[in-house]
Amino acid sequence: MTIAKADYIEGMAKGLAVLESFDTERQRLNATLAAQRAGLTRAAARRHLLTLAHLGYLETDGSYFWLAPKVLRFSGSYLASARLPRVIQPTLNRLAALTGESFSAVVLDGDQVVIIARSGSRSMLAYGLHLGARLPAHATSTGRVLLAAKTRTEFNAWLKGRELPRLTTHTTVDARKFRALVEEVRAQDWAMASEEHELGVHALAVPLRNMEGRTVAALNVVAPPQRLEPKVMQKDLLPLLFEAARELRPLL
């Protein structure tokens, strides 16, 4: 969405940039680190940090700041009011009960994917696969499915000049090879990522489309290699994912 310059509140944008500068890599920030991450001067970052702490969104020891539980109001309100997670959740629960594996629904946000709904499972989840988790799109099956849903022009713009970080020895980081992977996903309409985001984790994903044919999310399943090899996942679980996607389409 684009808006007129007169309607743009720069102070709000800067405050949100400071909030977004906290992540799993940097859970505690001082004014200098927040300034570097948010692209602000140290003085401006300090004022935003102090204001956010005063409002209860950050906690502080006087030097460093970290997120306070109050920030969960935003995610809680989204999950309670957004239609997409509520529509998908029963299907995720059914798939988990049927297979004993862990299923998630994911959307794309820039260079990351965000888990908006997930099932419980008797199996152990991969690290960080909790509700609201943000994962690098290039190293995940869901990210590749969602990137393949872009037009080639849009995908080229997304990839241009972008560094693809290596997360494991299996991560695809070469832009030419990654482009070929996305083309393959576009042709076959599903994606597999084996130990590219995390060692010991295989993931399989398919697109979730609405009745207009627009991809609105990705549906995936994860499993450790000692229980399911990639070929077994493709044979046993891919048909279940496609069937679930067809069932959900009229609801999306």
Side-chain angles (χ1 to χ4, degrees):
M1 178 182 177
T2 57
I3 60 173
K5 185 176 180 179
D7 294 326
Y8 184 77
I9 304 176
E10 189 171 355
M12 179 181 292
K14 290 179 178 179
L16 290 173
V18 170
L19 269 183
E20 290 178 354
S21 63
F22 292 88
D23 57 25
T24 53
E25 293 181 2
R26 285 288 187 175
Q27 300 171 9
R28 296 188 175 217
L29 300 174
N30 57 20
T32 300
L33 292 170
Q36 293 171 353
R37 292 196 136 212
L40 305 174
T41 65
R42 185 184 182 281
R46 177 179 175 275
R47 290 196 300 272
H48 285 292
L49 289 169
L50 290 172
T51 300
L52 289 166
H54 172 72
L55 294 173
Y57 293 105
L58 297 179
E59 295 180 357
T60 181
D61 59 7
S63 298
Y64 282 81
F65 297 79
W66 56 93
L67 296 176
K70 190 175 181 179
V71 298
L72 293 175
R73 288 188 179 185
F74 299 115
S75 59
S77 297
Y78 168 76
L79 293 172
S81 61
R83 181 175 177 274
L84 190 59
R86 287 187 287 115
V87 167
I88 295 172
Q89 190 63 54
T91 298
L92 299 181
N93 294 342
R94 177 176 59 80
L95 290 171
L98 181 65
T99 65
E101 304 302 336
S102 178
F103 294 80
S104 301
V106 175
V107 296
L108 185 67
D109 184 15
D111 61 354
Q112 297 178 317
V113 292
V114 184
I115 298 177
I116 60 166
R118 58 166 292 271
S119 68
S121 173
R122 296 188 299 272
S123 62
M124 183 176 293
L125 286 173
Y127 175 75
L129 296 188
H130 55 272
L131 199 60
R134 307 178 71 87
L135 307 173
H138 75 284
T140 57
S141 60
T142 51
R144 292 173 184 178
V145 162
L146 295 168
L147 289 172
K150 291 179 174 291
T151 66
R152 286 178 173 81
T153 300
E154 291 171 338
F155 174 69
N156 289 337
W158 183 93
L159 187 60
K160 184 178 180 180
R162 185 181 298 276
E163 181 182 353
L164 304 177
R166 183 178 297 282
L167 304 175
T168 75
T169 55
H170 302 286
T171 308
T172 302
V173 296
D174 179 78
R176 185 172 59 180
K177 292 180 179 179
F178 185 71
R179 188 188 303 276
L181 281 175
V182 172
E183 282 295 329
E184 183 181 7
V185 172
R186 186 178 283 119
Q188 67 189 16
D189 213 28
W190 59 271
M192 169 77 79
S194 295
E195 301 188 284
E196 296 204 38
H197 170 251
E198 181 182 343
L199 291 175
V201 176
H202 299 315
L204 184 66
V206 301
L208 290 177
R209 297 187 177 94
N210 60 19
M211 291 300 289
E212 288 73 43
R214 183 172 64 88
T215 298
V216 297
L219 173 65
N220 88 320
V221 58
V222 297
Q226 62 267 26
R227 185 165 58 255
L228 288 175
E229 290 295 329
K231 289 183 179 179
V232 177
M233 290 182 71
Q234 183 178 335
K235 175 179 176 292
D236 295 345
L237 297 178
L238 186 57
L240 292 178
L241 292 179
F242 277 134
E243 180 184 0
R246 286 193 295 270
E247 291 175 354
L248 285 169
R249 188 165 186 169
L251 305 176
L252 302 177

